[in-house]
Amino acid sequence: MRPYLEFLSELAQNNSKEWMDAHKKQYLACKEEFLEDVAVILKGLAEWEPAFEAFKAKDCVFRQNRDVRFSANKDPYKINFAAYFSPKGKKSEGPGYYLHIQPGQSFLGGGIYMPMGETLKKIRKEIDYSGTELRKIENEASFKKAFGEIQGEKLKTSPRDYDADHEFIEYLKLKSFTVTTPLKDREINNGQFIQRALVAFDTMRPFQEFLSKAVEEVEDGSGIL
């Protein structure tokens, strides 16, 4: 049994520094086990992307402390455990794989969330040229079964330089390019989420490759594979 969900449930009800200080040993034990699970996922990812061999689990895991400087919510801690796997690191503009653990709200995801302006232009340019490829990826049976549709906040009108009747206008309107699939609490508790993650991340590889091809000029010219 993984201790994550019980700890996170308690943290959600007692989100304060005083409570965390009193339960530091419990938190550190959960964090250590989470790091061990993330290390297993990294090892699996490295089988098809050698760049992941250079990462340690701690390079992929997000801090528990929240940045409350510009938030109305002043709770000091996140009530989830999360990790992001990208060949160029957590701060990369390129695509990556995401693991989110939270009672009743755990999920796996991937893609690019809210890219910066220049990167967004690159992705739209790739869609303009190769939208048929993206549509084929989205409609592939295993991809559709796992993730449904490509998700993201959309513009209400067509983006600049693209006609409203463009064949791929619904893709071009997107401001994020992500896919997700939920995880059940029991999959977290029994550790099955690790294998689920590797299968899901493998299934989304063509989507990641498409995005990587689009943004590679923004970074150093290398793709996700």
Side-chain angles (χ1 to χ4, degrees), residues 167-203:
E167 181 180 4
F168 306 114
I169 191 61
E170 293 308 312
Y171 291 142
L172 292 168
K173 286 181 179 180
L174 288 167
K175 294 192 285 183
S176 289
F177 303 84
T178 62
V179 293
T180 62
T181 187
L183 289 169
K184 295 180 172 62
D185 283 356
R186 69 170 182 269
E187 293 177 295
I188 306 301
N189 283 328
N190 62 24
Q192 290 180 348
F193 73 94
I194 297 174
Q195 185 59 31
R196 275 286 315 277
L198 291 172
V199 171
F201 294 161
D202 191 26
T203 302

Side-chain angles (χ1 to χ4, degrees), residues 97-127:
Y97 307 94
Y98 181 68
L99 166 65
H100 183 99
I101 293 180
Q102 183 176 351
Q105 300 182 51
S106 300
F107 67 93
L108 300 164
I112 298 179
Y113 178 74
M114 297 298 287
M116 300 294 287
E118 189 62 28
T119 302
L120 182 57
K121 288 180 182 178
K122 294 285 185 179
I123 297 172
R124 285 176 174 157
K125 186 176 181 180
E126 188 66 28
I127 292 170

Side-chain angles (χ1 to χ4, degrees), residues 55-188:
F55 288 87
K56 295 181 179 179
K58 65 180 181 179
D59 300 322
C60 305
V61 172
F62 291 101
R63 296 180 61 202
Q64 206 65 32
N65 295 71
R66 294 182 63 251
D67 184 350
V68 299
R69 291 175 299 173
F70 309 107
S71 174
N73 179 1
K74 297 303 180 182
D75 289 345
Y77 304 107
K78 299 170 186 173
I79 56 174
N80 63 76
F81 287 156
Y84 185 69
F85 309 88
S86 173
K88 295 181 174 66
K90 285 188 294 187
K91 296 183 179 180
S92 169
E93 277 284 290
Y97 307 94
Y98 181 68
L99 166 65
H100 183 99
I101 293 180
Q102 183 176 351
Q105 300 182 51
S106 300
F107 67 93
L108 300 164
I112 298 179
Y113 178 74
M114 297 298 287
M116 300 294 287
E118 189 62 28
T119 302
L120 182 57
K121 288 180 182 178
K122 294 285 185 179
I123 297 172
R124 285 176 174 157
K125 186 176 181 180
E126 188 66 28
I127 292 170
D128 185 29
Y129 291 161
S130 307
T132 300
E133 179 184 348
L134 184 59
R135 179 180 288 162
K136 183 178 179 181
I137 290 169
E138 185 181 47
N139 289 330
E140 200 280 324
S142 61
F143 186 95
K144 180 70 74 175
K145 181 178 179 180
F147 310 114
E149 297 180 349
I150 297 168
Q151 304 163 10
E153 184 181 346
K154 283 187 175 183
L155 296 171
K156 293 182 179 179
T157 59
S158 57
R160 185 180 301 175
D161 301 326
Y162 296 100
D163 295 333
D165 60 354
H166 192 290
E167 181 180 4
F168 306 114
I169 191 61
E170 293 308 312
Y171 291 142
L172 292 168
K173 286 181 179 180
L174 288 167
K175 294 192 285 183
S176 289
F177 303 84
T178 62
V179 293
T180 62
T181 187
L183 289 169
K184 295 180 172 62
D185 283 356
R186 69 170 182 269
E187 293 177 295
I188 306 301

Side-chain angles (χ1 to χ4, degrees), residues 10-20 66 73-79:
E10 293 176 5
L11 176 58
Q13 298 172 28
N14 304 276
N15 201 327
S16 69
K17 185 177 184 304
E18 293 75 18
W19 185 89
M20 184 66 97
R66 294 182 63 251
N73 179 1
K74 297 303 180 182
D75 289 345
Y77 304 107
K78 299 170 186 173
I79 56 174

